[in-house]
Amino acid sequence: MPIMRAMRPDETKIDLRDLTFDELKEFVREHLEEKPYRAKQIYEWLYRHGANSFEEMTSLKKELRLHLQAVASVDPLEITEILKSEDGTEKLQFRLQDGAAVEAVLIPNEGRMTLCLSTQVGCAMGCAFCFTGTLKLSRNLTQAEIVDQYRQALRHVGGDRAWISNVVLMGMGEPLQNLDNVVRACDILMDDNAYGLSARRVTVSTSGLVPQIRELQERSPISLAVSLNATTDEVRSRIMPVNRRYPMEELIRALEEFPNPRRARILIEYVLLAGVNDGLDDARRLAVIAGRIQCKVNLIPFNPHERSDFRPPTPEHVLAFQNILLNAGINTFCRQSRGQDIHGACGMLGKGAADGGEETRGTEPSP
Ligand code: SAH
Ligand code: SF4
């Protein structure tokens, strides 16, 4: 029975945010022996009104609320800290039920707000430039934990779903290693009866797990970003161990086959590391690769942190690199670093979990 997936081995209660709407209907019929409209009411309380307890679901009769309390849970993620950057970016630190910590980042930009969500506790991929990559993977986040980052961030900004216009799954973890929960969580984000985000405004970023990219293509219309970060196998394998398993040509071929007319263009992310992958030859090779894919290129100057010796190129060099791509007709933009002062920029998440912990960057991918 599908709803059993929502019951964790150590728990007797079903987390209702682990269910799709259809599964919730089944739960209401089979476990509560209630009419289907109750499922709609509960779903709306969860995702329209952001209820954090059954008590808040005041349109449900008292006996039903007590029954729900006995068999189900909607316990919110606990926000343990909110850090605000001088550029307006906010980092929310959450404590999960088992005590693990993850982070989400709210990034305001010209009247719009992007929310960056985590999908795993730590990350197994071990990319050499990434702070999160120094935290070994503890576990995947559940569907409920992914959705709840959004729910709690929305409550934090005032509760109106129009205020968060874009969601990127670019926080802690490799989302496609947690494909099932990511797809199901994004289905809730895109459901009109929940948050109603369009597939173009929900983007998942991967380090390049080829079989999972193909599976995503089958299962979800969400937009795809890929961290390419190098233009030769030699360099990419050195800074991203995943490349030893799925070399560049295999990855590029999967990306050539990925698009369809309803989907947003693929975003190719390219972290610029001075003296490593930022040569003007790299820019020319990147233009050739990008020319094969329906994509935009997003250059990301390296965000320095205490667990890496890489450096970002100078702004002038970034511009020279970008100009080569633009002159080759590739739509290329440079990501402004946001939230560096709160350890909240790209590749910097997990500081709360790391403090006091050992540094254990993986060297082999375990997709
Ligand atoms: N695991 C996924 C998504 C999270 S990482 C992925 O790798 O795609 C989000 C982005 O941050 C990736 O494009 C990654 O290459 C980039 N990144 C990691 N560490 C960085 C750093 N120190 N500075 C700038 N970008 C970084
Ligand atoms: Fe993991 Fe992405 Fe960081 Fe690589 S860049 S270690 S895949 S979070």
Side-chain angles (χ1 to χ4, degrees):
M1 191 164 65
I3 59 172
M4 292 309 287
R5 74 184 297 287
M7 208 161 342
R8 322 241 164 78
D10 57 333
E11 288 171 3
T12 50
K13 293 185 180 182
I14 284 177
D15 190 321
L16 298 189
R17 293 153 309 174
D18 273 327
L19 304 181
T20 63
F21 184 49
D22 284 344
E23 289 165 359
L24 183 62
K25 280 194 281 194
E26 188 189 327
F27 170 77
V28 162
R29 183 169 48 82
E30 283 200 6
H31 291 247
L32 304 179
E33 295 176 354
E34 287 277 347
K35 295 261 171 8
Y37 79 93
R38 292 290 185 199
K40 188 153 187 290
Q41 280 182 312
I42 296 170
Y43 198 74
E44 283 180 354
W45 273 113
L46 284 174
Y47 303 118
R48 278 285 164 91
H49 312 302
N52 269 345
S53 70
F54 294 118
E55 263 155 48
E56 288 174 51
M57 302 185 182
T58 46
S59 63
L60 305 181
K61 53 191 183 209
K62 183 126 191 260
E63 307 86 82
L64 177 54
R65 278 186 268 153
L66 289 174
H67 190 176
L68 277 165
Q69 251 155 25
V71 298
S73 74
V74 289
D75 296 336
L77 297 184
E78 183 192 349
I79 299 183
T80 46
E81 194 169 21
I82 299 174
L83 294 172
K84 189 153 188 165
S85 161
E86 50 192 33
D87 66 26
T89 300
E90 280 187 292
K91 185 168 79 167
L92 309 185
Q93 234 166 55
F94 296 103
R95 193 182 358 248
L96 312 179
Q97 296 253 307
D98 62 1
V102 292
E103 297 174 339
V105 185
L106 276 161
I107 310 149
N109 199 5
E110 291 169 3
R112 296 195 310 182
M113 181 85 86
T114 297
L115 175 64
C116 176
L117 299 178
S118 291
T119 55
Q120 296 184 311
V121 182
C123 184
M125 308 309 289
C127 303
F129 44 81
C130 176
F131 185 89
T132 312
T134 67
L135 311 170
K136 70 174 192 295
L137 175 69
S138 316
R139 65 172 176 88
N140 282 335
L141 296 190
T142 63
Q143 173 188 334
E145 288 165 338
I146 298 169
V147 169
D148 215 54
Q149 292 171 64
Y150 183 97
R151 275 166 38 90
Q152 302 315 323
L154 196 58
R155 272 178 84 112
H156 173 66
V157 297
D160 187 332
R161 67 179 186 166
W163 291 352
I164 296 181
S165 52
N166 291 64
V167 170
V168 293
L169 294 106
M170 294 185 185
M172 293 165 69
E174 166 48 63
L176 297 194
Q177 254 192 348
N178 188 12
L179 186 74
D180 197 45
N181 288 332
V182 162
V183 166
R184 291 168 58 99
C186 290
D187 284 347
I188 303 256
L189 297 180
M190 293 185 294
D191 183 351
D192 282 337
N193 291 316
Y195 299 118
L197 287 162
S198 87
R200 285 171 179 268
R201 294 186 179 276
V202 179
T203 302
V204 65
S205 175
T206 178
S207 58
L209 299 178
V210 171
Q212 287 88 337
I213 288 174
R214 295 192 199 282
E215 193 182 335
L216 181 74
Q217 182 171 17
E218 299 293 316
R219 287 188 52 184
S220 177
I222 55 177
S223 310
L224 180 69
V226 177
S227 303
L228 192 65
N229 297 345
T231 60
T232 64
D233 277 320
E234 196 263 309
V235 173
R236 194 163 192 271
S237 292
R238 193 145 43 87
I239 59 175
M240 298 183 73
V242 65
N243 195 68
R244 298 176 208 153
R245 193 174 293 235
Y246 303 113
M248 287 185 57
E249 189 53 35
E250 226 179 285
L251 174 60
I252 294 163
R253 250 186 269 129
L255 301 183
E256 281 177 318
E257 291 160 15
F258 191 81
N260 79 37
R262 287 181 303 120
R263 234 185 251 280
R265 277 205 262 172
I266 294 172
L267 190 69
I268 298 288
E269 297 164 289
Y270 197 95
V271 180
L272 286 164
L273 309 168
V276 177
N277 65 358
D278 70 338
L280 298 185
D281 277 353
D282 283 301
R284 284 185 273 272
R285 281 191 292 269
L286 182 55
V288 173
I289 294 169
R292 290 173 57 184
I293 305 165
Q294 284 182 35
C295 70
K296 293 181 286 191
V297 172
N298 184 189
L299 302 175
I300 316 172
F302 173 67
N303 291 312
H305 56 82
E306 62 275 29
R307 291 191 172 180
S308 168
D309 294 329
F310 292 112
R311 284 173 303 106
T314 61
E316 297 72 37
H317 189 80
V318 173
L319 212 56
F321 194 98
Q322 181 177 10
N323 276 337
I324 290 180
L325 286 144
L326 289 174
N327 289 337
I330 307 295
N331 184 345
T332 308
F333 61 102
C334 187
R335 192 178 294 180
Q336 295 300 321
S337 177
R338 305 287 302 270
Q340 267 197 28
D341 54 338
I342 53 167
H343 232 272
C346 290
M348 294 180 80
L349 297 188
K351 176 117 174 85
D355 283 345
E358 50 175 339
E359 182 176 337
T360 54
R361 195 187 295 281
T363 50
E364 290 300 326
S366 49

